[in-house]
């Protein structure tokens, strides 16, 4: 079997819902042994996001975030269960949680306590807004982070109403930042022998995603909005919609006009340069909308491609999943069958020539690995004695 980059790394995973689980799934995909500690009888809240499957197996939301992990279901109100988890943590390289601050401390699993017996431990924390500050205890949730960070107010068209971005952008980006932090901490430990605490938040990840916009505001007091540029937009056609990005060329407006078979608007003084085009963006966009509406998406995409203007069809998720490129990129994984049908998952976006991601462990039933994990712990404790 091919060795994976994180083979030999043990992760004790207290996370649930999305921020934490998408982080630990990435670690598991690349070889880490991830032991998911869940609440007895209930488990990760995402197990119940869409109700139970007919055969009691995991639903799509949970399955999407928890392949290649083992499930350990315990009642952590019981001393014996807490002792077992503490023994497990003493064998671990990484502990991950995305509870509110102080929850782990109340269970006896805070970093200051754990590092006494495991000084090499990487202790990774994902929160809503940070470990300190006025929002420290505020419930963390993707949509709240979108709102508080300014992301929700960013619109390509000021006339559009405020809305929630439909994909959990903050959860995923913070989860990937947490992966980065853990890998950096493991590298640091390799050099120094020292563990450390790593923390990310939904809020900070959303601010980090706006690094260009935020820096432009602080240094120039200007709004940078790539989606609001004059030659960029989404346009309806006779059978769908396309997106066009008129950029990275000396005179993209001229080339757009060639593709649209209209007069060269760049020769007109009111559209002669970028600043003029920005000032008259509504007029330009109206011309584009009226022209694109006269023919099919395929027609206009071909025309734009001929003059090397960036463009793409606006597709649904099912259309994207069925695309040949999706399969070629290895973005669909199979994880067995249930009575509800096949378990098909989104793969990893990272392609490594020497480390191919596969489903080694199907998304687990709640407590599926209790016996194996607890019996192994008992043996180790007995050997130590």
């Amino acid at each position: 079997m091919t060795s994976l980059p994180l083979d030999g790394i043990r992760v004790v995973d207290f996370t649930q819902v999305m921020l934490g689980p998408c982080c630990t799934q990435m670690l598991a995909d690349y070889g880490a042994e991830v032991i998911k500690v869940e609440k007895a009888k209930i488990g990760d809240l995402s197990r119940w996001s869409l109700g139970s499957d007919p055969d009691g197996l995991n639903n799509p939301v949970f399955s999407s975030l928890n392949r290649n992990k083992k499930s350990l279901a315990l009642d952590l109100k019981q001393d014996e269960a807490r002792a077992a988890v503490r023994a497990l943590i003493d064998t671990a390289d990484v502990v991950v949680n995305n509870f509110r601050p102080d929850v782990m401390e109340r269970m006896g699993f805070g970093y200051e306590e754990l590092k006494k017996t495991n000084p090499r431990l990487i202790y990774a924390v994902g929160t809503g807004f940070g470990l300190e500050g006025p929002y420290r205890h505020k419930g963390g949730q993707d949509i709240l982070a979108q709102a508080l960070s300014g992301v929700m107010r960013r619109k390509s068209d000021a006339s559009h109403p405020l809305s929630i971005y439909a994909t959990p952008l903050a959860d995923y980006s913070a989860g990937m930042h947490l992966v980065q932090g853990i890998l950096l901490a493991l590298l640091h430990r390799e050099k120094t022998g020292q563990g450390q605490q790593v923390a990310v938040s939904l809020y900070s990840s959303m601010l980090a995603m706006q690094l260009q916009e935020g820096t432009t505001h602080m240094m120039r007091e200007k709004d940078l909005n790539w989606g609001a540029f004059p030659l960029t937009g989404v346009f309806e056609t006779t059978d769908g919609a396309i997106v066009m990005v008129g950029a990275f060329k000396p005179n993209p407006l001229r080339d757009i006009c060639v593709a649209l078979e209209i007069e060269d608007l760049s020769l007109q003084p009111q559209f002669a340069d970028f600043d003029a085009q920005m000032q008259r963006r509504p007029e330009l966009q109206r011309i584009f909308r009226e022209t694109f509406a006269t023919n099919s998406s395929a027609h206009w995409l071909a025309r734009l491609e001929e003059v090397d203007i960036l463009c793409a069809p606006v597709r649904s998720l099912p259309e994207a999943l069925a695309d040949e490129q999706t399969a070629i990129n290895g973005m669909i994984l199979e994880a067995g069958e249930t009575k509800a049908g096949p378990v098909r998952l989104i793969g990893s976006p990272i392609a490594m020539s020497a480390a191919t991601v596969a489903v080694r462990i199907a998304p687990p039933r709640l407590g599926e690995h209790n016996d194996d994990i607890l019996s192994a712990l008992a043996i180790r404790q007995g050997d130590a004695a």
Side-chain angles (χ1 to χ4, degrees), residues 309-344:
I309 290 292
L310 295 168
C311 59
V314 178
R315 300 191 305 192
S316 67
L317 177 57
E319 289 172 329
L321 292 174
D323 194 299
E324 180 186 7
Q325 191 68 56
T326 301
I328 290 171
N329 289 2
M331 289 304 296
I332 305 295
L333 297 177
E334 301 283 346
E337 294 271 344
T338 72
K339 291 179 180 178
V343 179
R344 305 185 72 209

Side-chain angles (χ1 to χ4, degrees), residues 29-94:
D29 278 350
Y30 292 94
E33 179 193 23
V34 176
I35 299 173
K36 186 176 180 69
V37 180
E38 301 188 70
K39 190 174 182 179
K41 299 181 181 179
I42 297 174
D44 186 328
L45 293 175
S46 68
R47 288 185 181 274
W48 307 98
S49 294
L50 298 175
S52 300
D53 285 346
D55 58 4
L57 292 178
N58 308 317
N59 67 30
V61 175
F62 178 86
S63 295
S64 72
L65 294 159
N66 290 285
R67 64 174 173 259
N68 292 328
K69 303 179 187 180
K70 300 174 182 178
S71 175
L72 176 64
L74 297 171
D75 179 1
L76 292 179
K77 293 179 181 178
Q78 302 299 319
D79 292 342
E80 184 179 359
R82 286 198 303 274
V85 171
R86 182 60 186 267
L88 182 63
I89 290 171
D90 283 343
T91 71
D93 298 280
V94 183

Side-chain angles (χ1 to χ4, degrees), residues 200-220:
V200 305
S201 70
L202 300 173
Y203 181 70
S204 293
S205 286
M206 285 292 88
L207 289 173
M209 189 171 286
Q210 300 171 91
L211 75 172
Q212 296 178 80
E213 298 88 341
T215 300
T216 300
H217 170 74
M218 291 187 290
M219 293 180 64
R220 296 287 185 268

Side-chain angles (χ1 to χ4, degrees), residues 29-30 87 95 166 223 348 350:
D29 278 350
Y30 292 94
V95 166
D223 179 46
S348 170
I350 301 171

Side-chain angles (χ1 to χ4, degrees), residues 79-335:
D79 292 342
E80 184 179 359
R82 286 198 303 274
V85 171
R86 182 60 186 267
L88 182 63
I89 290 171
D90 283 343
T91 71
D93 298 280
V94 183
V95 166
V96 190
N97 84 85
N98 61 333
F99 297 127
R100 296 191 197 195
D102 299 335
V103 170
M104 289 286 281
E105 285 74 10
R106 289 197 298 271
M107 291 192 293
F109 303 137
Y111 177 56
E112 294 302 320
E113 182 64 27
L114 297 181
K115 73 177 183 179
K116 293 176 183 176
T117 53
N118 188 354
R120 289 172 52 82
L121 184 68
I122 310 302
Y123 190 86
V125 185
T127 66
F129 303 99
L131 293 174
E132 302 295 338
Y135 304 145
R136 180 172 184 264
H137 287 290
K138 185 176 180 65
Q141 201 274 339
D142 187 280
I143 295 169
L144 304 187
Q146 290 181 37
L148 280 166
S149 65
V151 166
M152 194 175 289
R153 281 206 172 270
R154 297 196 60 76
K155 300 181 291 182
S156 60
D157 190 320
S159 67
H160 294 169
L162 292 173
S163 64
I164 295 166
Y165 189 71
T167 295
L169 196 66
D171 276 323
Y172 186 80
S173 62
M176 294 304 98
H177 286 146
L178 196 54
V179 171
Q180 293 172 32
I182 290 168
L183 296 180
L184 290 169
L186 286 169
L187 181 60
H188 182 264
R189 189 183 73 176
E190 186 69 19
K191 295 179 177 180
T192 67
Q194 298 174 350
Q196 62 180 295
Q197 178 171 279
V198 176
V200 305
S201 70
L202 300 173
Y203 181 70
S204 293
S205 286
M206 285 292 88
L207 289 173
M209 189 171 286
Q210 300 171 91
L211 75 172
Q212 296 178 80
E213 298 88 341
T215 300
T216 300
H217 170 74
M218 291 187 290
M219 293 180 64
R220 296 287 185 268
E221 294 188 352
K222 289 185 177 180
D223 179 46
L224 175 62
N225 188 333
W226 298 109
F229 276 23
L231 309 183
T232 294
V234 178
F235 304 100
E236 301 283 345
T237 66
T238 56
D239 61 356
I242 66 170
V243 65
M244 174 179 75
V245 179
F248 311 117
K249 303 190 75 179
N251 187 355
L253 179 55
R254 177 190 60 205
D255 295 332
I256 290 170
C257 292
V258 169
L260 298 183
E261 299 178 308
I262 60 176
E263 64 176 313
D264 185 354
L265 298 175
S266 70
L267 297 177
Q268 299 181 15
Q270 66 268 37
F271 302 125
D273 56 29
F274 178 81
D275 289 339
Q277 292 165 13
M278 279 295 292
Q279 191 172 9
R280 291 177 170 80
R281 181 178 188 273
E283 186 177 347
L284 275 174
Q285 295 278 306
R286 177 185 56 78
I287 294 170
F288 296 155
R289 282 195 304 272
E290 290 175 353
T291 309
F292 281 120
T294 64
N295 216 318
S296 68
S297 293
H299 172 82
W300 292 123
L301 290 169
R303 292 287 301 168
L304 291 167
E305 295 270 7
E306 285 175 6
V307 295
D308 198 26
I309 290 292
L310 295 168
C311 59
V314 178
R315 300 191 305 192
S316 67
L317 177 57
E319 289 172 329
L321 292 174
D323 194 299
E324 180 186 7
Q325 191 68 56
T326 301
I328 290 171
N329 289 2
M331 289 304 296
I332 305 295
L333 297 177
E334 301 283 346

